[in-house]
């Protein structure tokens, strides 16, 4: 059954204009007359009347056009789809940083075998000719680029492959032509400073200088020797201006690609360094002033941070002087990426892993704001902390602990060195499980000959409780763990009757009072039942006139009385 019906009148003021609603009425005759009046009075170029019927089931209007007057509606031409062009269309575009990065990835194995970077491949005719002659290597690289690009853009795969084959051929031809024409002068008979001055006004000065420096590395083998050669070029470069910028720009790009390879970085910094020490050495290179300042404040930093020597030290000096800002940023980002990964810093030394992680955290936090934001540094260490609270790491971390108490101390240190709310809670759960375990209770209540005395055990528990309060756990976790330590201390004291022994001891009242106050204040016993009982006994002693009078004259005892929560 049809619902309510009304009529709508639409008009177009001009021929190319779109339709706009003029009136809506339930009178069919009025709607038709209005449409005719609009055209007869030249108020519109066209008019249209529609009948709108409400569907009671869907509550939507069904529209039916019953009259159309005036100029016909123009048909809009369909917009021709934009042609998709390949990512790189000319040889010059291959020299952009993102294009060189892609080349380094698709030709990674070939570049590693040749011991060169993508920058050198694009600036050395002999390397380009060698790659072109290999055939299969270049064809595979083209396919690695063309297939994903074709899938992402919808271009024909064969057309993309042919395009990049022609692009590779044109690039190789350009390099070979530059080599044959002597466009890349040799540094054997002239200094790089003189050459930089002559090239400072040349049109292709960046391309030519890149070729000159790449040719200068042709006879150097090994990343360490090659970096040393680059630093020699920097030392011989002009002191300022465009000529110096030409040299530093090419050197920075080659060094960036060279240090992005892990094998090269390991060779430059020293093969004896593990992954964590290598990252610490990189941080010392990019932030030498901050690290030296930290070493002056904390001598342990000198032990944990490797000394950077040789060409790495020369590069670090250049980074400190601000010669290579892009390289500094790239190395800092690399450190952040490695920290956020799952790769262990010291695979066979979990204790040392926490030590080196703490060292990196201090150094990077001190350098934040110049190379990285503090938020980036914090996020990287939050990600790294996730790996420190996994069952595998925790098991290896406490494996060599001789006692359960030593295990609890290790886990407290773990809580101190993880960051992020979720990671703190996970570490707190490990510590809570250790503190509340029956193993620790049995160990603390057991009185072995030659083992620690009750006083020593209570002292260790008090120190552990203070450490828990200092590691900034959540309020609930901290309270639960501290309460458990206090309860354990109360059990140990009650088993041994330590307070009764102090009361029966042949000692001066002030000596007894001092021992009781130290327990009550949490210095020699954890806060909890044992401290509460010691506070009660100390209160009894303070009620004796002679003891109270002597205590009021001793500043140390006054401080202990206040710390224990007592009053004279």
């Amino acid at each position: 059954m049809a619902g309510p019906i009304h009529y709508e009148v639409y008009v177009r003021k001009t021929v190319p204009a779109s339709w706009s609603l003029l009136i809506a009425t339930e009178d069919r005759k009025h709607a038709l007359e209005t449409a005719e009046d609009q055209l007869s009075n030249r108020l519109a170029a066209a008019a249209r009347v529609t009948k709108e019927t409400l569907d009671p089931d869907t509550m939507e209007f069904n529209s039916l056009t019953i009259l159309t007057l005036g100029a016909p509606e123009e048909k809009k031409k369909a917009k021709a789809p934009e042609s998709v062009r390949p990512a790189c269309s000319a040889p010059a575009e291959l020299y952009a940083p993102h294009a060189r990065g892609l080349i380094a990835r698709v030709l990674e194995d070939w570049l590693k075998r040749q011991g060169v970077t993508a920058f050198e491949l694009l600036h050395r005719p002999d390397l380009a000719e060698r790659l072109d002659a290999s055939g299969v290597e270049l064809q595979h690289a083209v396919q690695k680029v063309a297939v994903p690009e074709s899938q992402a853009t919808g271009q024909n795969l064969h057309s993309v492959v042919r395009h990049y084959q022609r692009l590779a051929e044109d690039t190789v031809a350009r390099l070979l032509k530059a080599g044959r024409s002597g466009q890349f002068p040799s540094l054997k008979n002239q200094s790089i400073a003189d050459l930089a001055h002559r090239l400072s006004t040349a049109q292709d000065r960046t391309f030519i200088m890149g070729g000159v420096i790449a040719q200068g590395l042709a006879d150097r083998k090994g990343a360490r020797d090659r970096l040393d050669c680059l630093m020699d070029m920097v030392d011989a470069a002009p002191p300022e201006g465009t000529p110096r910028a030409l040299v530093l720009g090419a050197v920075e790009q080659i060094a960036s690609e060279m240090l992005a390879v892990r094998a090269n970085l390991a060779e430059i910094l020293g093969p004896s360094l593990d992954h964590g020490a290598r990252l610490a050495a990189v941080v010392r290179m990019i932030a030498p002033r901050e690290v030296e300042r930290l070493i002056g404040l904390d001598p342990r930093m000198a032990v944990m941070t490797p000394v950077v020597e040789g060409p790495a030290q020369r590069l670090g000096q250049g980074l400190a002087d601000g010669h290579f800002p892009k390289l500094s940023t790239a190395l800092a980002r690399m450190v952040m990426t490695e920290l956020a990964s799952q790769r262990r810093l010291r695979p066979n030394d979990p204790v040392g892993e926490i030590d080196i992680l703490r060292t990196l955290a201090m150094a990077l936090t001190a350098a934040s704001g110049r190379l990285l934001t503090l938020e980036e540094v914090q996020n990287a260490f939050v990600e790294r902390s996730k790996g420190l609270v996994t069952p595998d790491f925790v098991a290896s971390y406490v494996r060599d602990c001789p006692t359960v108490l030593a295990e609890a101390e290790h886990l407290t240190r773990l809580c101190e060195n993880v960051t992020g709310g979720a990671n703190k809670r996970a570490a707190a759960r490990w510590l809570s499980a250790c503190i509340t375990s029956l193993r620790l209770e049995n160990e603390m209540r057991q009185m072995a000959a030659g083992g620690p005395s009750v006083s020593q055990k209570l002292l260790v528990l008090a120190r552990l409780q203070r450490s828990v309060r200092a590691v900034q756990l959540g309020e609930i976790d901290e309270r639960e763990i501290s309460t458990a330590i206090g309860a354990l201390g109360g059990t140990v004291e009650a088993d041994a009757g330590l307070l009764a022994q102090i009361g029966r001891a042949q000692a001066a009242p002030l000596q007894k009072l001092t021992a009781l106050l130290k327990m009550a204040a949490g210095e020699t016993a954890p806060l909890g039942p044992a401290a509460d009982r010691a506070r009660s006994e100390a209160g009894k002693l303070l009620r004796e006139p002679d003891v109270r009078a002597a205590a009021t004259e001793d500043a140390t005892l006054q401080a202990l009385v206040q710390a224990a929560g007592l009053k004279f």
Side-chain angles (χ1 to χ4, degrees):
M1 180 177 178
I5 298 174
H6 71 275
Y7 301 90
E8 295 179 354
V9 179
Y10 294 87
V11 296
R12 286 190 289 116
K13 298 295 184 180
T14 60
V15 174
S18 58
W19 292 104
S20 61
L21 178 64
L22 182 64
I23 64 168
T25 177
E26 296 180 357
D27 189 341
R28 176 188 176 98
K29 181 179 179 182
H30 176 60
L32 295 173
E33 291 176 350
T34 302
E36 293 172 353
D37 290 343
Q38 289 290 312
L39 262 68
S40 61
N41 296 329
R42 297 183 179 181
L43 298 176
R48 183 174 68 189
V49 180
T50 62
K51 178 182 178 181
E52 307 292 335
T53 305
L54 179 65
D55 188 338
D57 295 329
T58 63
M59 298 304 293
E60 295 180 353
F61 283 99
N62 296 321
S63 182
L64 175 65
T65 302
I66 61 176
L67 178 66
T68 301
L69 300 173
E73 190 173 0
E74 289 185 347
K75 293 184 179 180
K76 295 183 179 179
K77 295 182 180 180
K79 187 176 181 181
E82 295 182 2
S83 58
V84 181
R85 61 185 294 269
C88 289
S89 301
E93 295 181 8
L94 295 177
Y95 291 78
H98 68 278
R100 291 204 317 272
L102 180 58
I103 293 172
R105 289 194 297 273
V106 299
L107 287 171
E108 180 180 2
D109 294 337
W110 188 87
L111 292 173
K112 189 179 297 184
R113 290 197 301 270
Q114 304 299 323
V116 296
T117 64
F119 184 93
E120 294 171 84
L121 171 62
L122 292 169
H123 290 84
R124 279 178 53 182
D126 60 318
L127 289 176
E129 188 174 16
R130 196 178 308 166
L131 176 62
D132 187 44
S134 67
V136 176
E137 293 281 357
L138 186 57
Q139 181 65 25
H140 285 175
V142 168
Q143 291 174 353
K144 290 178 183 178
V145 175
V147 171
E149 183 172 331
S150 172
Q151 293 174 345
T153 61
Q155 300 177 76
N156 180 268
L157 176 59
H158 296 291
S159 299
V160 179
V161 170
R162 287 194 297 271
H163 168 78
Y164 281 115
Q165 286 175 338
R166 287 194 299 270
L167 183 60
E169 292 171 359
D170 292 345
T171 305
V172 171
R174 180 195 183 200
L175 266 176
L176 294 178
K177 180 180 178 181
R180 287 193 296 267
S181 63
Q183 197 170 356
F184 302 133
S186 174
L187 294 175
K188 294 181 179 179
N189 300 322
Q190 58 185 325
S191 68
I192 194 170
D194 294 338
L195 183 59
H197 280 293
R198 290 202 303 272
L199 290 176
S200 60
T201 57
Q203 185 176 2
D204 294 336
R205 55 183 178 272
T206 303
F207 173 68
I208 298 173
M209 180 56 72
V212 169
I213 294 180
Q215 292 285 4
L217 295 174
D219 298 331
R220 300 299 184 107
K221 303 299 181 182
R224 192 177 181 88
D225 188 29
R226 284 156 53 79
L227 182 60
D228 207 21
C229 179
L230 289 176
M231 293 302 101
D232 289 339
M233 295 180 186
V234 172
D235 293 340
E240 58 185 0
T242 301
R244 181 173 180 81
L246 276 177
V247 178
L248 295 186
V251 168
E252 183 177 34
Q253 293 177 75
I254 296 176
S256 297
E257 295 182 8
M258 188 187 303
L259 294 175
V261 180
R262 285 180 177 175
N264 292 340
L265 191 62
E267 180 184 345
I268 291 170
L269 296 176
S272 62
L273 298 180
D274 58 24
H275 186 48
R278 199 172 300 130
L279 293 182
V282 172
V283 174
R284 190 165 191 168
M285 281 174 52
I286 61 179
R289 297 186 180 93
E290 291 85 350
V291 172
E292 293 301 326
R293 190 159 52 246
L294 287 174
I295 291 175
L297 297 174
D298 186 359
R300 291 176 298 179
M301 285 287 293
V303 178
M304 298 301 301
T305 308
V307 177
V308 180
E309 299 176 334
Q313 183 183 22
R314 298 176 66 187
L315 177 60
Q317 186 60 48
L319 295 173
D321 294 339
H323 297 331
F324 311 115
K326 294 181 181 178
L327 178 56
S328 295
T329 302
L331 290 175
R333 299 287 179 195
M334 182 272 292
V335 173
M336 291 293 99
T337 302
E338 293 295 332
L339 285 176
S341 70
Q342 299 300 317
R343 187 182 182 190
R344 290 280 296 272
L345 300 180
R346 290 188 169 166
N348 301 319
D349 185 8
V351 176
E353 175 139 356
I354 290 183
D355 291 336
I356 193 65
L357 187 62
R358 187 179 183 90
T359 300
L360 288 170
M362 294 173 62
L364 288 171
T365 302
S368 62
R370 184 170 63 86
L371 300 173
L372 300 163
T373 65
L374 182 59
E375 183 179 3
E376 289 175 320
V377 175
Q378 291 173 341
N379 290 339
F381 282 98
V382 168
E383 288 297 316
R384 171 58 58 170
S385 295
K386 291 179 181 178
L388 301 182
V389 293
T390 59
D392 291 342
F393 181 85
V394 174
S396 65
Y397 180 57
V398 300
R399 182 183 300 126
D400 298 330
C401 293
T403 64
V404 185
L405 185 60
E407 182 178 324
E409 292 174 339
H410 272 61
L411 291 173
T412 303
R413 187 163 183 268
L414 177 65
C415 292
E416 179 184 4
N417 287 280
V418 299
T419 184
N423 299 324
K424 284 280 188 183
R425 289 190 294 272
R429 286 194 293 270
W430 288 110
L431 178 58
S432 178
C434 179
I435 295 295
T436 58
S437 67
L438 188 59
R439 295 186 305 131
L440 180 59
E441 182 177 348
N442 292 337
E443 180 181 290
M444 297 303 293
R445 298 180 71 176
Q446 183 179 4
M447 299 299 295
S453 64
V454 175
S455 299
Q456 291 173 329
K457 290 181 178 180
L458 291 176
L459 181 63
V460 173
L461 287 175
R463 188 184 305 120
L464 179 63
Q465 190 182 59
R466 289 194 296 271
S467 299
V468 169
R469 293 182 173 180
V471 298
Q472 298 179 348
L473 296 175
E475 182 180 352
I476 296 177
D477 292 328
E478 179 184 321
R479 183 172 62 250
E480 290 179 353
I481 295 173
S482 295
T483 301
I485 295 174
L488 180 58
T491 301
V492 172
E493 187 279 324
D495 288 348
L498 181 60
L499 292 176
Q501 294 177 24
I502 294 175
R504 294 193 303 266
Q506 298 297 322
L510 286 183
Q511 291 179 331
K512 296 181 180 180
L513 179 63
T514 301
L516 292 171
L517 288 175
K518 286 184 177 180
M519 290 182 64
E523 291 186 13
T524 57
L527 297 176
D532 294 340
R533 291 194 290 267
R535 185 180 299 106
S536 177
E537 294 297 324
K540 294 177 183 178
L541 277 177
L542 282 174
R543 283 195 288 272
E544 297 181 9
D546 295 341
V547 176
R548 185 187 304 111
T552 54
E553 297 176 358
D554 190 324
T556 303
L557 281 176
Q558 291 180 19
L560 285 174
V561 169
Q562 292 180 357
L566 294 173
K567 296 181 180 179
F568 289 105

